[in-house]
Amino acid sequence: MAAPTSSVVTTASVAGMWTSALAYSGVSSPFSLTLYQTLGVVSGMGIIRDEQGTHVMGVSNSGVVGNVVTLVMDYTNGAGAPVRMTITGSVTSSTTIVGVVNVVWPQQAAVPANTAITLTKTG
């Protein structure tokens, strides 16, 4: 008789403070996030600094399944227009998320699709 196999999926923890920079075409926009997590549901807030100023981001409709994380961040840019940015990636260690970023709104965003990004946990 074969030994039973486990199908338990351990959800990675992403709660805490994270930093990164959205870098593309010679532009670098540093940002920080404070994430909260209840089971697989992630929420929080952050700050991004770009050529138009400093913007507060809300993190909602986000989550973690296993080690795959999806972060959805909304903010208003310097022109007063809404921006939605998503990060999809993998929790590769307790202090690193590696993935890609996409700007969903506005669709004419200068950020290339699937721009590589690494987030580092700072606290």
Side-chain angles (χ1 to χ4, degrees), residues 42-59:
V42 177
S43 61
M45 63 167 288
I47 295 175
I48 187 166
R49 291 172 199 78
D50 63 19
E51 62 277 357
Q52 297 175 349
T54 301
H55 316 285
V56 176
M57 299 184 292
V59 180

Side-chain angles (χ1 to χ4, degrees), residues 34-93:
T34 300
L35 300 178
Y36 305 97
Q37 181 176 348
T38 303
L39 301 175
V41 178
V42 177
S43 61
M45 63 167 288
I47 295 175
I48 187 166
R49 291 172 199 78
D50 63 19
E51 62 277 357
Q52 297 175 349
T54 301
H55 316 285
V56 176
M57 299 184 292
V59 180
S60 60
N61 300 315
S62 301
V64 181
V65 176
N67 73 329
V68 177
V69 62
T70 301
L71 301 174
V72 179
M73 296 155 288
D74 292 304
Y75 63 97
T76 302
N77 69 16
V83 175
R84 172 165 283 177
M85 183 169 67
T86 64
I87 295 175
T88 305
S90 298
V91 180
T92 59
S93 74

